[in-house]
Amino acid sequence: MSGFLVQGRHGTKGNFEAVVPSSHGGGLVHLWRNNDAGMTWSGPTCFGGSRRYLATTLIQSNYGTTGNLEVLATSDAGELDFFWRLDRAPWTWSGPFRVATGVRGAPALIQGRHGTKGNFEVVVPHRDGGLAHLWRNNDAGMTWSAPGRFGGGARYAGATLIQSNYGTVGNLEVLATTDAGELDFFWRLDRAPWTWSGPFRVASGLRGTPSLVQGRHGTKGNFEVVVPHRDGGLAHLWRNNDAGMTWSAPGRFGGGARYVNAALIQSNYGTVGNLEVLATTEAGDVDFFWRLDRAPWTWSGPFRVGAEIGFNVSECTFGWRAAYHQADTHVTIRIQLNPDSGISDATMNTLRTTWRNGIIGKWSNRFDCVGNGQRKRFTFDVQWVTSGAHHVVRVRPGPERSNMTTWDTSDTGDVASHEFGHMLGHPDEYATSACPARNPVGTGTVMDDNTETVARLYNRLASSHCGHTPAAAPGEGPSEVEGVAVELRSLDRMATARRAEVLQRLRSADEGAEVSFEVTGGAPGERYEYRLAVSGSGAARRVLVDEFSAEPDADSTGTVPPETARRVFDAARDAGLLDDAPPELPPADLVPDSLVATVTVRYGDAVRRVSVPAVEPGHGEPPGEARDVPVSTHVRLAPDTADLLTPVLAALSAVEEQL
């Protein structure tokens, strides 16, 4: 068989291996599917430089122990280049090595049965019409022959080649698609005088590159072909090699996408073997299909080929797992929504539409992935699923304070687009006491106030595609928004002497020392912020902002007696907050935008904070578990953390009473 897909010999089941041209930026990309663990695709692994290639063909040869991957690729300048990959670590690709010029379209490569080692045989459309055949003598120097031209003057777009079981060693059998959409068949005698016969017209109304295998259906083994259809989707046809070698009419499948190249194998899935297909679209995206190896012979697909991406993100007291599927420059997140009782199906259907439209409108078609001056647009999608989710989200009746894993019925598409950013791995960009050293803040982006996406939010997505970079799409922008840098340093990361000096100033309640209690949480537009702070000099401030409340924001400042301030610092010392090492707390599992209670001790730019989960009464805490705190916030804390912080909060309550 020939094409850009093989079922190789790596893995117990045999992994799927594919090499296709990069959709933009030049070079080639290698993709593979782990058939022993979840049938997940990985890649791209990028190689081949910046040359623009149009089509590829791939085999796993008998060079090496397991077998090297061997690739031929046709450039847009009509050169035919050869590459090979080592079959063991470090899995390095070598090439390009120029094989021929004056060609066009998609080549076809096999390792045939002529010669002791098995020669490489290639058929590729010729620039001046017809087809070119060349071969590499693998028994003597691995030298390539000059191309020998056959097939008349028709201009072909792509070819596919097998060595069949006709003849003694095996005839070469070729299908090629003309620029006009006709599918022509050729065959070559497997002995001198090595004559080619054809073309024989098989079908019309097609386009692009076909793919041919001699399968395991039938006694002789039928020929199976998949080729892009002129009107969209793919066409499947087959030749009955047990009865007259007649070709079937093309049967169309795969929807309306316009494909340009197809690759077909018969795998070891099923009893006889399923047909498995990869097809590339005009935009360079890769779709997967498979056909059941028995009646009713149904085709499944398309499934966009890409990698499942997952990584842990940690910021301050927040920690979560980013997860999504990236196929080239298209990103999909599968989200499972679990509504609370009482939320109707009609409401959920409306919310799905609102949230999906908000996410796609905010993230899609705003920025391009750019490599070597070539661009491809970033696009995004949300799939609402009931299993196999990247992220599971509880939906509550609103209005409520939302976070990455808890949304509510009052949430807008803007709120959903902010939480979607967390699912991609982006931290918040608004100021919060839970992350005093967060940098940048106040950026005016979707991660700050639900508004703009900017280029740097696409950096990881672009770099995973061959190390490319993002740039604003024409007419879109801004490509960047400046934020405010926050210059604070963790006391516990300072050198021993400097840390000891700062702790001593805190214990002494110096004028520049401060103890504060803050509660923050909720997505932008739903924020709750409470802060109560006192310095060693007695300067005090209380701030309350509740974006769900009709009450005006509160901001009170004043001065309390030195003994009142001193009691706060003594309480912080007694709680262990001013020890050489901070107190140990149970690990918290906080996703972005969660409510967080934080006690902070600060001297100048040196800070130590203790952050713990907080809850609003009636919203998520186990009944009878969470406790009120002695300051004027309705937020509650878990018993273990309340026991630690209550003495500090009791001392701060005296400050609050005097403001």
Side-chain angles (χ1 to χ4, degrees):
M1 71 188 75
S2 65
F4 52 87
L5 168 68
V6 299
Q7 183 168 18
R9 298 185 290 274
H10 289 286
T12 303
K13 182 71 175 178
N15 296 332
F16 289 173
E17 311 273 359
V19 171
V20 296
S22 173
S23 65
H24 63 290
L28 303 172
V29 297
H30 171 226
L31 309 163
W32 65 281
R33 195 181 85 171
N34 188 333
N35 287 334
D36 294 335
M39 297 190 290
T40 55
W41 288 92
S42 295
T45 299
C46 307
F47 67 98
S50 60
R51 184 179 299 276
R52 180 70 172 162
Y53 291 103
L54 302 179
T56 58
T57 180
L58 164 71
I59 63 170
Q60 186 169 21
S61 71
N62 57 13
Y63 287 92
T65 303
T66 306
N68 296 339
L69 298 184
E70 321 267 355
V71 170
L72 283 172
T74 310
S75 75
D76 58 359
E79 300 120 342
L80 186 64
D81 288 346
F82 175 70
F83 304 83
W84 64 277
R85 193 201 73 172
L86 200 65
D87 70 344
R88 62 187 185 278
W91 314 104
T92 48
W93 283 96
S94 297
F97 306 101
R98 183 64 37 78
V99 172
T101 58
V103 299
R104 70 190 301 261
L109 166 67
I110 63 170
Q111 185 167 18
R113 297 187 292 273
H114 289 287
T116 304
K117 183 70 175 178
N119 296 330
F120 289 173
E121 308 276 357
V122 181
V123 170
V124 58
H126 197 281
R127 179 183 55 199
D128 299 325
L131 300 166
H133 170 237
L134 55 157
W135 63 283
R136 195 180 84 173
N137 187 333
N138 287 334
D139 293 335
M142 296 189 291
T143 54
W144 288 95
S145 72
R149 192 169 162 202
F150 70 97
R155 291 180 62 79
Y156 291 100
T160 179
L161 165 70
I162 63 171
Q163 187 166 22
S164 71
N165 57 13
Y166 287 93
T168 303
V169 180
N171 296 339
L172 299 185
E173 320 268 356
V174 171
L175 284 171
T177 312
T178 69
D179 288 353
E182 297 109 351
L183 185 64
D184 288 347
F185 176 69
F186 305 82
W187 66 276
R188 194 201 72 172
L189 200 63
D190 70 344
R191 61 186 185 278
W194 315 104
T195 50
W196 284 95
S197 298
F200 306 99
R201 184 61 40 81
V202 172
S204 58
L206 308 171
R207 70 194 298 256
T209 306
S211 189
L212 166 68
V213 300
Q214 184 166 18
R216 297 187 290 274
H217 289 287
T219 303
K220 183 69 174 178
N222 296 332
F223 288 175
E224 307 274 358
V225 183
V226 169
V227 57
H229 196 282
R230 178 184 57 200
D231 299 324
L234 300 166
H236 170 235
L237 55 156
W238 62 285
R239 194 180 84 173
N240 189 331
N241 287 335
D242 293 336
M245 297 190 290
T246 54
W247 288 94
S248 71
R252 191 171 164 200
F253 70 96
R258 291 185 60 79
Y259 295 103
V260 293
N261 299 306
L264 166 70
I265 62 172
Q266 186 167 22
S267 71
N268 57 14
Y269 286 93
T271 303
V272 180
N274 296 339
L275 298 185
E276 320 268 356
V277 171
L278 286 182
T280 59
T281 69
E282 291 175 332
D285 299 313
V286 184
D287 287 346
F288 174 70
F289 305 83
W290 65 277
R291 193 201 73 172
L292 201 64
D293 69 343
R294 62 186 184 278
W297 313 104
T298 48
W299 284 97
S300 297
F303 307 101
R304 183 59 46 87
V305 173
E308 292 291 340
I309 309 295
F311 52 93
N312 294 324
V313 184
S314 178
E315 188 217 17
C316 307
T317 192
F318 301 108
W320 70 100
R321 184 157 182 82
Y324 50 89
H325 180 269
Q326 182 173 354
D328 202 78
T329 60
H330 183 71
V331 176
T332 301
I333 294 185
R334 301 186 298 273
I335 302 176
Q336 179 176 330
L337 299 177
N338 291 338
D340 284 3
S341 60
I343 301 178
S344 69
D345 290 343
T347 296
M348 289 304 302
N349 287 336
T350 300
L351 290 173
R352 289 186 187 98
T353 300
T354 297
W355 292 340
R356 183 174 181 272
N357 289 346
I359 290 167
I360 293 173
K362 187 80 69 179
W363 287 91
S364 279
N365 296 307
R366 303 295 304 282
F367 289 87
D368 293 341
C369 187
V370 181
N372 295 313
Q374 296 177 332
R375 309 167 72 102
K376 187 177 180 184
R377 194 65 42 87
F378 281 109
T379 57
F380 294 81
D381 195 16
V382 177
Q383 294 179 356
W384 307 117
V385 299
T386 56
S387 62
H390 291 117
H391 302 276
V392 177
V393 174
R394 175 191 173 192
V395 182
R396 300 186 294 183
E400 293 284 0
R401 298 190 210 284
S402 297
N403 58 47
M404 192 183 91
T405 59
T406 305
W407 301 359
D408 70 77
T409 56
S410 297
D411 282 339
T412 64
D414 284 340
V415 172
S417 67
H418 172 89
E419 304 303 346
F420 184 86
H422 291 313
M423 295 174 178
L424 293 172
H426 299 301
D428 285 307
E429 295 182 3
Y430 52 75
T432 174
S433 58
C435 289
R438 174 176 286 165
N439 186 10
V441 296
T443 58
T445 70
V446 67
M447 302 315 301
D448 172 28
D449 59 9
N450 298 346
T451 51
E452 295 284 354
T453 56
V454 291
R456 59 182 164 77
L457 299 179
Y458 298 79
N459 279 340
R460 184 183 294 109
L461 305 177
S463 64
S464 70
H465 187 86
C466 306
H468 292 173
T469 58
E476 294 289 347
S479 62
E480 191 52 272
V481 175
E482 293 295 330
V484 178
V486 179
E487 297 296 336
L488 291 176
R489 296 186 295 161
S490 170
L491 185 156
D492 295 303
R493 294 180 182 177
M494 291 180 173
T496 303
R498 175 59 178 158
R499 181 170 66 250
E501 177 190 351
V502 171
L503 287 171
Q504 182 56 42
R505 292 183 179 276
L506 286 165
R507 293 170 190 143
S508 302
D510 280 8
E511 287 191 2
E514 181 186 80
V515 176
S516 63
F517 176 68
E518 298 111 328
V519 179
T520 59
E526 307 173 353
R527 298 287 295 162
Y528 179 84
E529 299 180 19
Y530 170 89
R531 186 173 193 269
L532 178 61
V534 65
S535 71
S537 67
R541 184 179 183 186
R542 178 184 182 272
V543 176
L544 177 62
V545 176
D546 187 350
E547 293 180 339
F548 275 159
S549 174
E551 297 297 322
D553 298 344
D555 190 343
S556 303
T557 59
T559 303
V560 300
E563 59 270 19
T564 303
R566 179 76 233 191
R567 283 198 295 271
V568 175
F569 284 86
D570 289 345
R573 181 199 61 209
D574 294 342
L577 297 175
L578 306 185
D579 289 349
D580 288 340
E584 293 187 6
L585 290 172
D589 185 17
L590 293 176
V591 296
D593 302 320
S594 296
L595 274 170
V596 181
T598 304
V599 171
T600 301
V601 294
R602 175 175 175 175
Y603 182 81
D605 64 352
V607 297
R608 171 184 284 168
R609 63 183 185 277
V610 174
S611 295
V612 297
V615 293
E616 294 182 84
H619 300 298
E621 82 278 17
E625 289 290 326
R627 295 184 187 174
D628 291 325
V629 293
V631 291
S632 298
T633 173
H634 65 279
V635 170
R636 311 176 77 194
L637 304 181
D640 49 2
T641 56
D643 291 342
L644 172 71
L645 299 181
T646 292
V648 180
L649 301 185
L652 278 169
S653 68
V655 173
E656 190 170 42
E657 289 173 2
Q658 297 178 42
L659 281 177

